[in-house]
Amino acid sequence: MNNTEIGFGMEAQGLFLVSSTVILLIIIFFLYKTYRTSINVEAKLSEFASLTDNRFGRKMHLIEVNADEYKLNKALLGPLARIIDEYCVLTTDSQGTITFANGKFLSLSGHAFSQLIGKNESINHPDSHDSGLPIMQCKHAASGVWNGEVCNQRADGSLYWMNMFLFPLSYISDEDDGFIYFGTDITDIKTENNQLIQEVKEKDQKLSHVETMLLHSEKMASLGTISAGIAHEINNPIAMLSSNLNRSREYMDTMSGVIKGLQKRINEKKFQQFLQAESDLKIDQRKLSFMLEDHPALIDETSEGIERIKQIIRDLKNFSHNQPESFSPTNIASCIATSLNLAKHELKNRINVSHANLESLPLIPGSESQLSQVFMNLFVNAAQAIEGKGTITISADCDDQWCTLKVADDGPGIPSENLEQIFEPFYTTKPIGKGTGLGLSICHDIIRHHGGTMTVESAPGTGTTFIIKLPLKQSEKVHAA
């Protein structure tokens, strides 16, 4: 044997020793790992056994621990292993005492084994103030399989929802009594559903409110039509009253002239005797003189009242006119005067209205009835916003293209969060029954149809100013609504 062969033999022997050592170390490692796994299994089983002596619970725990520690395929261990792997599982005895909870249930609930095993299932129930919520109760399955949603409470006090199946253990075991829950976490789905349900409720409420407002709007439209008809019918008796009053004025003036002429032609004593001769008159000379002086003022006041009634009727007819109409040259000062007359019941004696230079404004193409409606809404809203006495200031300015009108009040103002919604239909800050939320929306729409803009400036404590810009020349695209 030469040196070369001896060298090869020594190398082969060295390689064998190294390989043997590596294999031995690997075997020792796996033996140690298996030993440690076995120790862990025994420790977990021992811990579980110290908490309960329930046989079925120990079986379930044995399946779960061995599958986890030995990395076994739970699908090969039978249906119980697959249930443990795919669902949150909890078992109880016939009295509802918890005998097993798998890792998924523990992770979801935030409880440890020691907090659940041996405790009544009521440990998962929400606090007493949430007693109306559906809860885990094994008695649900007293007569067979039960399925439903339950609300549980985590260890930290937060709530979560599960879709649970519950059935007696006698369905899968001939030796054990009690019940088994298995279910899935539906907290996110439940939260989304609750949000959707709440949104649907809110939308239903809004639709109901809109429906009520639309019915109210239809009633108001009908009332406007009726009012226009009534105003037309009132015109006839008012015209008769006006005519008769003028004729009475002429008669009274004539009789007053006769009496005064008679007083000049006879002495005072004979005139007094003349008055006393008619016992039914019961009048003396002083009272007669007062009547002769007072009757023109009485007739003038009555005539003024009749003229006011006639003006209100004219304004009401114009205001309630709701048929489509073409734009025509419109006097803004006349629209404002009509609106102030109609809003007089709101302004009364507590609101001072200040305006200047309105008569000098140029005619604007538009609808007199619709623009009057805009101004009346603004005046009424301002008057209702002002508590006690206050002032409404109307100002106007024109250039070559636009007429800008401002209606300002010294009321409490509008919070900034409400300004963005103020022109939205049915939005109102007034109490229920005090406003429909349609007034400003309709005003905004009317001005838009006139080719103009309507904006608002306000802040709490500084009053409110509505700014209306109307074009001096009519665009071909705009028309009265």
Side-chain angles (χ1 to χ4, degrees), residues 333-351:
S334 176
C335 293
I336 292 175
T338 296
S339 303
L340 288 173
N341 192 37
L342 289 172
K344 189 173 294 184
H345 67 287
E346 287 288 348
L347 304 177
K348 298 178 181 177
N349 297 322
R350 65 184 185 88
I351 306 297

Side-chain angles (χ1 to χ4, degrees), residues 86-239:
E86 296 179 11
Y87 297 94
C88 296
V89 180
L90 186 87
T91 63
T92 72
D93 63 15
S94 58
Q95 304 302 316
T97 301
I98 299 172
T99 57
F100 171 76
N102 71 341
K104 281 195 171 184
F105 189 92
L106 295 174
S107 176
L108 181 60
S109 68
H111 289 290
F113 262 121
S114 59
Q115 293 175 301
L116 289 182
I117 307 304
K119 304 295 192 304
N120 190 273
E121 63 183 353
S122 61
I123 191 174
N124 294 298
H125 296 174
D127 292 335
S128 57
H129 64 273
D130 294 316
S131 58
L133 297 172
I135 56 177
M136 297 175 65
Q137 289 182 307
C138 59
K139 66 180 183 181
H140 288 320
S143 58
V145 177
W146 176 87
N147 170 245
E149 296 178 353
V150 297
C151 182
N152 291 343
Q153 182 169 284
R154 293 188 177 90
D156 62 6
S158 60
L159 302 182
Y160 63 100
W161 286 81
M162 298 186 71
N163 182 26
M164 301 292 294
F165 281 88
L166 170 64
F167 54 85
L169 288 178
S170 59
Y171 279 29
I172 57 176
S173 173
D174 296 331
E175 301 177 356
D176 301 285
D177 293 328
F179 302 90
I180 179 170
Y181 292 90
F182 63 93
T184 54
D185 180 19
I186 58 169
T187 305
D188 291 341
I189 297 174
K190 191 73 175 178
T191 301
E192 291 177 1
N193 285 345
N194 288 339
Q195 290 175 347
L196 289 174
I197 291 172
Q198 184 61 33
E199 288 178 5
V200 169
K201 285 183 179 179
E202 291 176 356
K203 288 188 180 296
D204 284 344
Q205 291 174 351
K206 289 181 179 178
L207 286 174
S208 177
H209 182 66
V210 168
E211 183 178 344
T212 302
M213 292 298 101
L214 286 174
L215 289 174
H216 181 71
S217 178
E218 289 179 6
K219 289 180 182 178
M220 293 302 292
S222 300
L223 183 60
T225 303
I226 293 171
S227 299
I230 293 173
H232 179 74
E233 293 300 323
I234 290 175
N235 263 337
N236 293 330
I238 287 296

Side-chain angles (χ1 to χ4, degrees), residues 255-320:
M255 287 188 291
S256 177
V258 171
I259 293 171
K260 289 179 179 179
L262 183 61
Q263 283 180 311
K264 292 178 181 179
R265 285 168 175 75
I266 62 177
N267 60 45
E268 183 176 345
K269 184 177 180 180
K270 289 185 178 181
F271 188 77
Q272 188 65 33
Q273 290 174 348
F274 168 75
L275 293 177
Q276 291 175 353
E278 297 294 332
S279 58
D280 294 338
L281 292 178
K282 295 181 181 180
I283 188 172
D284 57 19
Q285 190 169 351
R286 181 181 298 177
K287 190 173 182 180
L288 179 62
S289 299
F290 175 78
M291 291 170 59
L292 293 175
E293 293 177 2
D294 191 46
H295 90 268
L298 290 177
I299 293 179
D300 287 342
E301 288 178 4
T302 305
S303 179
E304 182 183 352
I306 290 176
E307 285 301 318
R308 288 179 62 183
I309 293 173
K310 291 167 69 175
Q311 182 62 45
I312 290 172
I313 292 171
R314 285 194 295 269
D315 293 341
L316 187 59
K317 289 177 67 176
N318 290 333
F319 185 79
S320 61

